[in-house]
Amino acid sequence: MNRPRKEMIAETRAKLIAAARHSFGTIGYADSSMDDFTAEAGLTRGALYHHFGDKKGLLQAVIREIDAEMTARLNKVSSEAPTRWQGFVDECVAYIRMALEPEIQRIMFRDGPAVLGDISQWPMNEGCIAALAGSLSRLKAEGAIIDVDTEAAARLINGASSHAALWIANSADPQETSKKAVEGFRALLEGLRTGKG
């Protein structure tokens, strides 16, 4: 039975992403070989070039996949909180704590910036800022936070949480650094609060 071309393309991409993700997450980007993950996926190097251009393009695809998973997890965290403010804080803190997870730590916060450059310039970053600004606008509308420019606050919170995650991921003692980062980040967020939310 012939399967639709679109389905076969999606399957090929998924196989390459899964093989690369496993390799990047366990041995790191620098030590990962394109031949190893094309062999693991049962595909040719030509398939990798066709779908992703090169190893860097494949890393970008892996990062997009992990980012989408992180976003889904963070949305769940905020939706389970008793108040919108608590949900906002919990979501930000959960993001920072994700830097302790080995795969996220290595791919998103160590190899990603080393290969793709400043995390604040990644394409998905604008979506994160827009989501934060939306949350802040809702909090502002219900009087839970002070009257602040929500885009400015979103950009500052995004930068602080990203840098906290990078600090943890590159620390000699990630657990201890995470505790310090979360405590400091909570204190920063409290400065926005009116006490009504």
Side-chain angles (χ1 to χ4, degrees):
M1 187 172 91
N2 286 341
R3 291 187 305 150
R5 179 169 156 70
K6 195 173 179 181
E7 192 181 302
M8 290 169 64
I9 289 170
E11 185 182 312
T12 298
R13 285 180 61 85
K15 279 183 181 176
L16 284 166
I17 289 170
R21 181 172 175 170
H22 173 75
S23 187
F24 295 159
T26 52
I27 62 171
Y29 179 84
D31 293 325
S32 292
S33 152
M34 290 196 291
D35 292 331
D36 288 346
F37 40 72
T38 51
E40 186 182 323
L43 297 162
T44 64
R45 197 183 260 230
L48 186 151
Y49 289 130
H50 174 73
H51 291 285
F52 302 102
D54 57 13
K55 186 175 161 186
K56 187 174 170 181
L58 190 49
L59 176 64
Q60 288 171 317
V62 167
I63 284 175
R64 276 193 300 277
E65 181 176 271
I66 294 171
D67 182 69
E69 291 167 11
M70 289 169 71
T71 300
R73 287 171 59 191
L74 294 171
N75 289 340
K76 187 173 187 298
V77 165
S78 63
S79 72
E80 291 172 351
T83 65
R84 195 184 304 273
W85 169 256
Q86 192 58 53
F88 183 75
V89 173
D90 290 353
E91 185 178 334
C92 291
V93 167
Y95 172 83
I96 293 169
R97 286 186 173 142
M98 284 180 181
L100 290 171
E101 297 175 28
E103 181 188 56
I104 290 173
Q105 183 180 107
R106 183 187 286 267
I107 296 173
M108 298 295 286
F109 299 119
R110 292 210 314 254
D111 288 352
V115 176
L116 304 175
D118 183 358
I119 199 167
S120 71
Q121 302 303 309
W122 291 3
M124 69 275 270
N125 199 53
E126 286 304 313
C128 296
I129 290 166
L132 282 169
S135 295
L136 290 165
S137 293
R138 289 186 287 279
L139 287 164
K140 190 168 146 179
E142 63 187 38
I145 63 169
I146 59 174
D147 185 16
V148 64
D149 182 291
T150 53
E151 184 192 358
R155 288 185 179 280
L156 293 168
I157 291 166
N158 177 263
S161 58
S162 294
H163 282 283
L166 291 166
W167 181 32
I168 294 162
N170 293 285
S171 167
D173 186 348
Q175 289 288 345
E176 184 57 33
T177 302
S178 178
K179 284 183 199 153
K180 285 187 205 172
V182 166
E183 194 177 307
F185 193 79
R186 284 185 189 276
L188 284 177
L189 289 184
E190 279 299 316
L192 287 172
R193 203 171 172 201
T194 60
K196 296 178 189 171

